[in-house]
Amino acid sequence: MSCAEPPAADHAARRVIPIQASAAPAGSSLYVAEQKIYPRSVSGRFANWRWALVALTQLFFYGMPWLQWEDRQALLFDLVGGRFYIGGLVFYPQDLIYLATLLVFSALLLFFFTAVAGRLWCGYACPQTVYTELFLWIERHTEGDRQARMRLDTSPWSPEKLARKSAKHAGWVLLALFTGFSFVGYFSPIRELAQATLQLALSPWELFWVLFYAGATYGNAGWLREQMCKYICPYARFQSALIDADSLIITYDARRGEPRGARSRKSAEVLAQGRGDCVDCTLCVQVCPTGIDIRKGLQNECIGCAACIDVCDQVMDKVGAPHGLIRYATENGVSQGLSRAQMWRRTLRPRVLIYGGALAVLGALMVWQLSQRSALLIDVIKDRGVMARLVDDGQIENVYRLQLLNRSERTLHLRLDAAGLPGLRLLGGERVEVAPAAIVSLPVQLRLPPGVANGSGARRVQLLAHDLDRPEATAFQAEASFFVPR
């Protein structure tokens, strides 16, 4: 989707001309080899924001596994034990609803920001963008900026070239290994993992995942780079369904910039020459990490990093023209000449309000779910071999198996009880101890005196677990069915 009609020359260049299969010379290919992209370094306000997000995300990623919560790791996904520790909360596979809610919330958040301002996630916080920036930083400090890297790649092999290439790949490998180690540290206690690494005593699975994730980081950020964004990541394919003419995107103001060409710094001479503000320096293409020309309009490959805005503003300063030839704007804003305030007011449109409302409701629901989350989960399993039976003195007995899951990090001392029918008694749970983050399974019997139940069938009853250490607290509760035989 383009924010402005490109020049006639661009239309001509973009026409599709049918090619007969027989016209291709023998041995030629119908596919053009992918050209390597050498992004030029750029500075500016958006570059500063991007590096701030790189620092913030990596401070979290590398630092979070080292934070402690009491006597354990603050954030740990213990797949072997089936426990997930997030701060003071302990989650189990039975808490899958929280993960599902979080995934839906994240998807809605992505849709919301895309509808408002395009691919902000891709340009500033996506792991592919973040690690590509880090790998490029290493590349620039070992091989130089764009022109130096291009000369180095085309020059014959020499001791200097070998040294620079070796230093670059050594830096890449070290960063990738540290990234893989940190990733595994979310699933295996990182302090123990560090000690095992120093002693060369990693388990086979730990070693495999460290190397696997390191290899993925090295390959994606070092070699694939823009290929991930252009061909592999599906987000670019469906972003057009999420944005519209009032979404903030990176745009080139063709009415102001065309016709392109070298221009004088004097406004009178510029008017006499009939030139636009674009001097056709191609710096916007050189700094683009995916190698596109934003002057041709918004393209799937654009990740919204705004590097072209930073470098274009610098060029405008040099030629004495105002900023904003390339800027964040909406398609309607550019075509209709809307002010920034008018464009922002038009962001409050139905799809944005729907996404925002859904986010607010789902976020409130998540907070409510967590606030109502019980420290003890009681799972009642009815003994299907014996639905109900008569025992001593004509009492009716039902047999159950209880699974008590301690979601807290303190030992629970419990007394089990039953309610729901007059005279209902529970046998087998006078005192139960459940260790922190542990599961206890035990059989219990419910007995009902004769003559209490009128008629046969199922009755709803409650199984209660009283916290003996906190007698004032409300008892934990679970529903069950009590069957009365005919």
Side-chain angles (χ1 to χ4, degrees), residues 303-455:
I303 63 172
C305 66
C308 53
I309 298 180
D310 282 333
V311 74
C312 186
D313 285 348
Q314 294 172 8
V315 174
M316 292 300 101
D317 287 336
K318 293 178 181 179
V319 300
H323 290 180
L325 178 60
I326 301 176
R327 63 185 184 272
Y328 271 114
T330 66
E331 184 178 359
N332 283 337
V334 173
S335 61
Q336 300 174 20
L338 302 179
S339 66
R340 182 174 296 273
Q342 290 174 318
M343 287 189 292
W344 275 110
R345 281 196 296 270
R346 295 178 69 163
T347 59
L348 297 177
R349 54 199 187 278
R351 73 162 61 192
V352 174
L353 294 177
I354 291 173
Y355 291 148
L359 278 172
V361 171
L362 193 59
L365 180 61
M366 289 176 61
V367 173
W368 180 82
Q369 281 182 325
L370 289 174
S371 66
Q372 298 298 312
R373 188 171 180 266
S374 173
L376 180 71
L377 178 64
I378 306 176
D379 190 12
V380 183
I381 304 172
K382 186 74 176 66
D383 187 347
R384 299 191 179 278
V386 182
M387 297 294 291
R389 62 190 176 190
L390 296 177
V391 293
D392 303 337
D393 302 326
Q395 296 186 80
I396 303 171
E397 182 181 81
N398 282 206
V399 180
Y400 307 83
R401 176 166 292 277
L402 300 186
Q403 283 191 339
L404 306 177
L405 174 60
N406 186 356
R407 290 167 160 172
S408 70
E409 295 188 82
R410 67 181 180 90
T411 300
L412 294 178
H413 299 94
L414 307 171
R415 177 178 59 82
L416 302 183
D417 197 359
L421 291 172
L424 186 65
R425 294 187 303 120
L426 183 144
L427 305 178
E430 291 76 10
R431 185 179 178 87
V432 181
E433 181 177 297
V434 188
I439 300 175
V440 170
S441 179
L442 73 158
V444 297
Q445 300 87 39
L446 291 185
R447 289 189 179 182
L448 188 66
V452 173
N454 295 321

Side-chain angles (χ1 to χ4, degrees), residues 283-296:
L283 288 178
C284 57
V285 181
Q286 296 178 31
V287 300
C288 180
T290 57
I292 66 169
D293 189 344
I294 195 61
R295 297 173 296 178
K296 296 180 180 179

Side-chain angles (χ1 to χ4, degrees), residues 35-192:
Q35 298 295 319
K36 183 176 179 180
I37 295 176
Y38 298 85
R40 182 178 184 143
S41 62
V42 62
S43 59
R45 54 176 177 151
F46 293 110
N48 293 337
W49 272 110
R50 191 162 56 255
W51 275 110
L53 265 295
V54 169
L56 183 63
T57 55
Q58 296 318 289
L59 181 63
F60 178 89
F61 177 75
Y62 293 121
M64 182 56 70
W66 296 96
L67 296 182
Q68 292 291 108
W69 186 277
E70 296 180 350
D71 59 344
R72 64 163 173 81
Q73 192 168 310
L75 185 59
L76 178 65
F77 306 106
D78 184 2
L79 298 180
V80 176
R83 302 176 186 128
F84 308 98
Y85 302 95
I86 303 177
L89 301 175
V90 184
F91 294 93
Y92 294 85
Q94 292 89 337
D95 296 317
L96 188 63
I97 182 63
Y98 296 104
L99 176 60
T101 306
L102 180 61
L103 292 177
V104 174
F105 184 84
S106 300
L108 283 174
L109 192 64
L110 184 65
F111 296 164
F112 176 80
F113 279 113
T114 304
V116 172
R119 298 178 66 175
L120 286 180
W121 164 258
C122 294
Y124 295 91
C126 174
Q128 179 67 20
T129 298
V130 167
Y131 288 107
T132 297
E133 286 286 345
L134 292 174
F135 274 54
L136 275 172
W137 183 85
I138 295 174
E139 189 171 77
R140 292 186 183 113
H141 282 74
T142 52
E143 296 184 357
D145 202 3
R146 183 174 188 268
Q147 295 297 329
R149 297 200 306 274
M150 294 173 68
R151 287 194 301 269
L152 185 67
D153 282 354
T154 56
S155 66
W157 281 98
S158 64
E160 180 186 3
K161 181 175 181 178
L162 180 61
R164 289 184 177 275
K165 291 288 184 181
S166 299
K168 179 186 74 172
H169 286 283
W172 284 3
V173 168
L174 288 176
L175 178 58
L177 286 173
F178 185 53
T179 303
F181 167 82
S182 299
F183 175 77
V184 176
Y186 283 92
F187 302 91
S188 181
I190 197 165
R191 296 172 188 269
E192 299 175 11

Side-chain angles (χ1 to χ4, degrees), residues 9 12 14 20 37-38 57 96 123 127 207 214 219 227 253 257 265 320 384 419 425 440 455 457 468-469:
R14 294 168 61 186
Q20 299 294 331
I37 295 176
Y38 298 85
T57 55
L96 188 63
L207 179 61
Q227 310 299 324
D253 193 342
R265 292 177 60 91
R384 299 191 179 278
R425 294 187 303 120
V440 170
L468 298 178
D469 297 326

